[in-house]
Amino acid sequence: MEKIRSPRNHTTVLTDEDRALYAPRLCTATDALLPEEIINRTYNGDLFSMIDFFPQESVDLMIIDPPYNLTKNFGGNKFAARGDDAYKAYLESWFPRAVRLLKKDASLYICGDWKCTAALYVVVGNYLTVRNRITWQREKGRGAVSNWKNCCEDIWFATAGSDYYFNADAVKQKRRVVAPYRENGKPKDWEETGDGKFRLTGASNFWDDITVPYWSMSENTDHPTQKPEKLIAKLILASSRPGALVFDPFLGSGTTSVTAKKLGRTYCGIEVNTEYCLLAEKRLARADRDKAVQGYTGGVFWERNTGREQENE
């Protein structure tokens, strides 16, 4: 049954016209692909049956948001929670096959929660050099009476080699100054604007400025574990040059590809669910005319709940 939505609900949904329009854009892989064949493409199919057809050393940045070790229904494709060893075996069944796509100077980010993050670290470390762990505050989460409320997730940062691209200046954050300090009567390391007093700070590995997509944001879809464009934008800007190829083997409703396109990169993704692929293509088409990323304006990321951070919702 179709959901009944408020007129103020901006969630991206598919119509029958959308399905007819975007279905021809979806790709499949049944034989070896050339590097130029995967540029700006959405591949609809099972990762396990297609990943080996993708060209070796063709990807500059890989962003992976795999099923966490939870029982979850992804639009009819169910993933069942399993023991720690079984989850590691699941990761090992596809991760090394995906890693072969990375160029020698490429970077990789992989997402997880507290329950699967240890397995991610071990498996990623078997093939790449782990550089850091980012923890981001989800801001939402179910309450708990016999445990701590779960409201953060991890992203492991790894590289294929010791020579890799990282641009810290591209991911600085504008933070409101609580206790503005002056030196000789002038602001020290902060500026006063019409919106208030702000300091430009370097990005750390703890992110508390992320807004999870919700009904009033057009980037929102019905995908159950959708990542925010703002979160993905930080990874892309920090670890890829303009024009670089960003690849996502669990594309979902297309956030990685859409954000890469908005930021002047090329993209490619694999997703088994056809409806999610079509949502990705609809969002990609919209990105031709709207390149805004919520929370990213003026070349900087704004902290959550500031006026500028809300501009693009």
Side-chain angles (χ1 to χ4, degrees):
M1 294 179 63
E2 292 288 338
K3 291 184 179 181
I4 299 175
R5 303 177 193 269
S6 162
R8 297 169 55 213
N9 190 319
H10 294 165
T11 298
T12 297
V13 297
L14 292 170
T15 64
D16 289 340
E17 290 78 9
D18 290 331
R19 294 182 179 91
L21 176 63
Y22 298 118
R25 303 189 188 187
L26 305 185
C27 302
T28 188
T30 57
D31 202 350
L33 296 165
L34 298 173
E36 58 268 24
E37 292 180 293
I38 68 171
I39 299 297
N40 296 340
R41 296 287 186 270
T42 302
Y43 281 83
N44 181 201
D46 178 54
L47 169 72
F48 293 91
S49 63
M50 291 204 296
I51 192 66
D52 294 333
F53 295 130
F54 281 73
Q56 186 169 333
E57 295 186 16
S58 58
V59 170
D60 298 290
L61 172 62
M62 190 176 297
I63 298 175
I64 309 178
D65 186 16
Y68 298 177
N69 196 8
L70 303 166
T71 297
K72 184 74 71 172
N73 187 338
F74 297 95
N77 296 293
K78 296 180 180 179
F79 186 88
R82 57 204 70 186
D84 290 345
D85 289 341
Y87 187 72
K88 285 182 187 176
Y90 162 73
L91 296 174
E92 287 281 3
S93 70
W94 57 263
F95 187 76
R97 297 162 67 186
V99 164
R100 57 174 281 279
L101 274 61
L102 296 174
K103 294 180 180 178
K104 289 182 169 54
D105 60 350
S107 295
L108 177 145
Y109 292 92
I110 188 167
C111 305
D113 68 350
W114 70 271
K115 199 170 185 180
C116 67
T117 195
L120 294 176
Y121 174 78
V122 170
V123 172
V124 173
N126 286 340
Y127 303 94
L128 304 172
T129 300
V130 177
R131 299 286 173 185
N132 211 327
R133 181 185 69 181
I134 298 162
T135 298
W136 66 281
Q137 185 183 28
R138 289 188 69 253
E139 143 203 43
K140 297 178 181 179
R142 293 182 179 179
V145 294
S146 60
N147 203 340
W148 303 102
K149 178 180 176 180
N150 183 26
C151 60
C152 67
E153 295 186 10
D154 289 338
I155 305 175
W156 290 99
F157 167 40
T159 64
S162 58
D163 181 18
Y164 59 94
Y165 176 84
F166 191 84
N167 186 352
D169 288 336
V171 286
K172 287 188 174 180
Q173 187 182 45
K174 203 99 169 181
R175 286 187 174 274
R176 196 177 296 276
V177 178
V178 178
Y181 177 75
R182 295 179 183 270
E183 189 174 77
N184 299 323
K186 296 181 179 180
K188 183 174 176 57
D189 298 328
W190 59 274
E191 63 176 347
E192 189 158 10
T193 71
D195 298 318
K197 301 178 178 68
F198 290 93
R199 175 179 289 114
L200 197 60
T201 64
S204 72
N205 62 354
F206 174 70
W207 299 352
D208 60 355
D209 62 316
I210 304 298
T211 298
V212 176
Y214 57 94
W215 60 268
S216 71
M217 300 165 66
S218 60
E219 73 176 82
N220 188 52
T221 72
D222 287 329
H223 191 283
T225 61
Q226 182 181 347
K227 294 294 184 290
E229 290 181 10
K230 183 180 182 182
L231 181 144
I232 301 300
K234 293 190 177 193
L235 308 180
I236 291 172
L237 288 170
S239 292
S240 71
R241 297 177 176 86
L245 176 60
V246 182
F247 178 78
D248 187 338
F250 294 90
L251 186 61
S253 59
T255 298
T256 297
S257 290
V258 171
T259 310
K261 182 175 183 177
K262 288 183 175 184
L263 297 175
R265 277 65 174 173
T266 58
Y267 58 85
C268 182
I270 301 174
E271 171 54 44
V272 67
N273 185 289
T274 302
E275 288 285 290
Y276 294 157
C277 287
L278 295 172
L279 279 170
E281 285 297 326
K282 181 172 182 175
R283 294 173 66 195
L284 284 163
R286 189 168 60 207
D288 285 330
R289 60 184 183 274
D290 181 9
K291 298 192 180 302
V293 174
Q294 181 272 336
Y296 177 70
T297 56
V300 295
F301 291 92
W302 292 74
E303 62 183 340
R304 194 165 57 220
N305 300 325
T306 61
R308 288 293 183 87
E309 196 269 349
Q310 304 290 334
E311 279 184 0
N312 294 323
E313 289 186 9

